[in-house]
Amino acid sequence: MEIIHKLDQRIPPRPFTHKNSTTSAKHSRATILNPQHTYCQGDQLDVLLEVRDHLGHRKEYGGDFLRARMSSPALKAGASGKVTDFDNGTYLVSFTLFWEGQVSLSVLLIHPSEGVSALWRARKQGYDRVIFTGQFLSGTSTVYSDCALAFNSSAELCQYLDAQDQEAFYCVKPPHVPCASLTHMRSKNKDVSYLSKQERSLFERSNVGVEILEKLKPIIVSKCKEETLPVKEKCKPQIRSTIPSGHVWQNTWNPVSCSLAPVKMKDCLRGKFIYLIGDSTIRQWMEYFKMSIDTLKPVDLHEFGKLKHQLAVDLDRNINIQWQKHGYPLIGSLVYSVKEIENMARVIDRTGGEKNTVIVISLGQHFRPFPIDVFIRRTLNIHRAVQRLLLRSPDTMVVIKTENTREMHSDVERFGNFHGYIQYLVIKDIFRELPVGIIDAWDITIAYGTNDVHPPQHVVGNEVQIFLNYIC
């Protein structure tokens, strides 16, 4: 796969004999280029990083996983910084000074390059970091069996195949029970690691997300000139995203390349059919719509469990919003029904589409524990389905909500943000040529400084605001 080849070049192997030779945040040096006493709003501030190892030696190569952010907590303001890797142990971190006031700058060493390459190698090695248990109905009794995306087993298997896209999920066939009687699924994390003991030491809590700019004092940004702000056009789907793609001020998202108009939700959604397909981060949108539109009534579809299909309607305004989970892999310690599980590409294929139909797609979090080719194949298949949809119904709106960041210290090998970041790059790359709207939840959640797999309500509300500007 060409995409994997590109990623392999980006993340070369970095074997190390001792933690001392890996990147150290404490020993690395940061210099503000062209420092000022006060800075002007709208200026760019550049920081040069020279990374060093734990013995204080300059590193000769790049590849560290860094996260740059500027913030003013009192103003509820934040934005990501742009990191340029010169691949020789130096980095340029650029901050756009969007607002006036006291601003703190941060560059976190999430993982050293040695840790990044260990995670990348380990990710390719196994499908069993998460194991699935399928529940089969046999007459009046229930039978359980192991299920997975791939098996190294001579046991007889049930294959649940999407014939069109050749994507499959498997269960060990329980004796005397037909494969079609699979009804429910749950998963649990398996106690397995593909990292060496020494590599694992890089992911101990104290080594993840360490501040490099600790000694840097906050800077003062002033409004130097009464500038007339250029009138930006209203946000619409095909406006290409920049880095950073915007900033937060008073907890409100402000895109760089366009402006968000206030939109009355009920008026905007009148006559619309909104199809949310994906994981629980897009189910949060469903909850947000139900909370924000008092006339939206949930319809009981007689399913059960956290991942059940959801539908809500406003009959007077003819608003129809539904959420449906994506296909396997779906990670959940609580039992969920798979009787109505469907591949996302098939859902798109059976959608007629027209100017009042909007499809929002979000996937990523559940794919982090598996080899990257699973995510790439799924994304390519969804891309083809969207292509077919836009050929038959060019005025259908399709929006991709990228993955968001999550807890910094949660089980790095399985669910870490590095895996999410690679998937974020992949989905943006695959969809870049198609006329779809992108909601850059990765950049937005860095700007807000939320490290939660389910971002708080005000962040979800701002994602929805971008969406409303796209469709109205």
Side-chain angles (χ1 to χ4, degrees), residues 67-71 76-80 108 248 251 253 405-406 408 441-452 455-456 458-459:
R67 181 182 298 173
R69 179 171 184 259
M70 53 187 274
S71 62
K76 296 192 171 104
S80 67
L108 299 180
V248 176
N251 258 348
W253 179 248
T405 57
R406 69 183 292 168
M408 191 94 67
W442 189 268
D443 195 50
I444 291 169
T445 46
I446 288 177
Y448 275 100
T450 63
N451 291 311
D452 190 341
H458 63 272
V459 178

Side-chain angles (χ1 to χ4, degrees), residues 259-270:
S259 70
L260 290 174
V263 177
K264 285 201 172 70
M265 201 180 287
K266 279 184 186 175
D267 296 344
C268 171
L269 296 178
R270 184 185 289 276

Side-chain angles (χ1 to χ4, degrees), residues 218-232:
I219 59 160
I220 305 298
V221 180
S222 312
K223 214 181 196 128
C224 299
K225 45 191 177 296
E226 276 308 318
E227 52 183 345
T228 48
L229 287 170
V231 177
K232 293 191 276 199

Side-chain angles (χ1 to χ4, degrees), residues 99-393:
W99 62 88
E100 56 178 320
Q102 182 172 307
V103 177
S104 301
L105 304 178
S106 158
V107 177
L108 299 180
L109 175 65
I110 310 265
H111 306 306
S113 50
E114 295 77 11
V116 165
S117 94
L119 285 173
W120 182 239
R121 189 206 71 244
R123 183 170 185 177
K124 296 174 181 174
Q125 281 178 273
Y127 290 87
D128 59 348
R129 286 180 192 82
V130 173
I131 47 179
F132 295 89
T133 303
Q135 187 175 315
F136 291 78
L137 205 55
S138 172
T140 53
S141 60
T142 300
V143 184
Y144 297 93
S145 185
D146 291 343
C147 303
L149 284 162
F151 270 112
N152 288 347
S153 158
S154 55
E156 189 185 352
L157 298 177
C158 291
Q159 182 191 48
Y160 301 96
L161 177 71
D162 181 306
Q164 183 167 341
D165 289 337
Q166 289 298 301
E167 287 191 76
F169 192 75
Y170 303 91
C171 293
V172 174
K173 186 180 184 306
H176 321 301
V177 176
C179 291
S181 62
L182 173 68
T183 61
H184 292 82
M185 190 73 65
R186 59 185 293 203
S187 77
K188 68 171 198 239
N189 297 343
K190 186 177 172 184
D191 188 15
V192 60
S193 172
Y194 293 94
L195 297 169
S196 69
K197 190 172 175 218
Q198 180 165 272
E199 287 168 342
R200 280 202 294 279
S201 74
L202 299 179
F203 305 112
E204 286 161 10
R205 208 179 179 91
S206 57
N207 296 330
V208 175
V210 187
E211 182 58 71
I212 297 178
L213 307 187
E214 204 165 26
K215 297 186 180 74
L216 217 59
K217 291 184 170 62
I219 59 160
I220 305 298
V221 180
S222 312
K223 214 181 196 128
C224 299
K225 45 191 177 296
E226 276 308 318
E227 52 183 345
T228 48
L229 287 170
V231 177
K232 293 191 276 199
E233 59 176 322
K234 180 177 159 300
C235 291
K236 54 179 195 280
Q238 275 80 58
I239 290 179
R240 278 291 155 246
S241 176
T242 54
I243 302 176
S245 61
H247 72 277
V248 176
W249 194 76
Q250 297 295 1
N251 258 348
T252 303
W253 179 248
N254 296 273
V256 165
S257 42
C258 58
S259 70
L260 290 174
V263 177
K264 285 201 172 70
M265 201 180 287
K266 279 184 186 175
D267 296 344
C268 171
L269 296 178
R270 184 185 289 276
K272 296 265 192 298
F273 182 96
I274 312 287
Y275 220 142
L276 310 171
I277 324 171
D279 56 30
S280 53
T281 67
I282 201 79
R283 187 181 68 220
Q284 286 185 280
W285 283 29
M286 187 76 194
E287 307 302 339
Y288 186 82
F289 284 129
K290 287 195 291 198
M291 199 193 70
S292 307
I293 305 172
D294 53 358
T295 50
L296 202 58
K297 298 285 177 272
V299 177
D300 184 0
L301 298 170
H302 301 282
E303 290 177 22
F304 113 106
K306 192 93 174 150
L307 297 175
K308 64 185 180 194
H309 204 128
Q310 293 191 32
L311 168 65
V313 294
D314 175 337
L315 293 175
D316 292 335
R317 290 177 185 77
N318 191 18
I319 301 171
N320 179 316
I321 305 177
Q322 39 183 302
W323 175 79
Q324 181 176 341
K325 59 184 176 281
H326 62 62
Y328 303 118
L330 272 170
I331 294 166
S333 54
L334 298 168
V335 173
Y336 57 89
S337 167
V338 296
K339 294 178 196 179
E340 66 303 301
I341 198 164
E342 210 176 350
N343 198 329
M344 212 187 273
R346 301 293 75 76
V347 178
I348 296 165
D349 279 339
R350 66 173 168 75
T351 303
E354 40 76 65
K355 72 176 193 306
N356 285 314
T357 300
V358 187
I359 295 179
V360 188
I361 294 164
S362 179
L363 75 162
Q365 300 283 355
H366 294 259
F367 290 80
R368 290 186 183 193
F370 304 102
I372 190 75
D373 54 304
V374 178
F375 180 77
I376 293 172
R377 190 174 308 125
R378 181 69 48 85
T379 306
L380 286 168
N381 288 335
I382 291 167
H383 176 271
R384 288 185 199 108
V386 169
Q387 257 178 326
R388 293 190 288 269
L389 170 67
L390 294 176
L391 280 172
R392 66 181 180 268
S393 304

